[in-house]
Amino acid sequence: MQNLGPPDTHYVSAALGWLELGNLAEAKAELAQLGEEQRGHPDVLEVRWLVCAEEGRWDEGLQIARALLQNAPDRSSGWLHQAYALRRVAEGSVKRAWDALLPAFDKFPKVAIISYNLACYACQMAQLDAARVWFKRALVLGGKEKIKRMALDDKDLEALWQEIKEF
């Protein structure tokens, strides 16, 4: 797959900027300017997934995540996006998200957010011992204070909040 060049890089950057400002319509308008041959580029897929997530279009988001996995297997984000969407599609569940994300840990053992999300999923499935193990890995990989702040604001880990406060 070829690299994005101008003006496509500008459209993608602008779309991200609009997303950060909360303006989905403008983000989508920027993406619409991309040529058909660039729509499957990993950078474009990342932004398209973010738009779907903001709009709660999980079926389309799942398809985009799977395209990202296929087009950029060395990016952990495809695995994360797929799991996130699998939790939220109509036939989705935390278990499906867990099953989809677990193999990513072997492929990306140093990516803290994978361990963190696995901790969230384990906690939601009432597997608290597993959640503690995954959370401790996330702390080591991602920095104790950063991960702890995230966790204490994440309802998925609420069952562990008291313990997390003591870390």
Side-chain angles (χ1 to χ4, degrees), residues 82-101:
Q82 175 181 244
Y84 202 85
L86 279 169
R87 182 175 178 180
R88 288 158 179 83
V89 293
E91 69 283 0
S93 67
V94 173
K95 174 77 166 92
R96 284 189 70 199
W98 166 272
D99 290 343
L101 189 57

Side-chain angles (χ1 to χ4, degrees), residues 64-83:
I64 291 169
R66 288 179 171 159
L68 185 57
L69 274 170
Q70 184 175 14
N71 293 345
D74 292 333
R75 288 191 187 196
S76 62
S77 57
W79 294 87
L80 289 157
H81 295 335
Q82 175 181 244

Side-chain angles (χ1 to χ4, degrees), residues 22-92:
N23 191 327
L24 287 171
E26 289 297 329
K28 289 163 73 171
E30 293 292 343
L31 292 176
Q33 295 183 71
L34 292 164
E36 188 63 39
E37 66 281 356
Q38 297 299 357
R39 296 209 174 157
H41 188 281
D43 294 342
V44 175
L45 292 171
E46 296 272 8
V47 179
R48 287 179 56 210
W49 189 89
L50 291 171
V51 169
C52 287
E54 284 295 318
E55 294 181 327
R57 292 185 290 123
W58 298 114
D59 290 328
E60 185 179 346
L62 179 57
Q63 296 312 309
I64 291 169
R66 288 179 171 159
L68 185 57
L69 274 170
Q70 184 175 14
N71 293 345
D74 292 333
R75 288 191 187 196
S76 62
S77 57
W79 294 87
L80 289 157
H81 295 335
Q82 175 181 244
Y84 202 85
L86 279 169
R87 182 175 178 180
R88 288 158 179 83
V89 293
E91 69 283 0

Side-chain angles (χ1 to χ4, degrees), residues 76 80 101 110-118 138 141-142 147 150:
S76 62
L80 289 157
L101 189 57
K110 294 183 176 166
V111 177
I113 196 68
I114 291 173
S115 294
Y116 179 88
N117 282 7
L118 288 169
L141 294 169
I147 297 295
M150 252 176 33

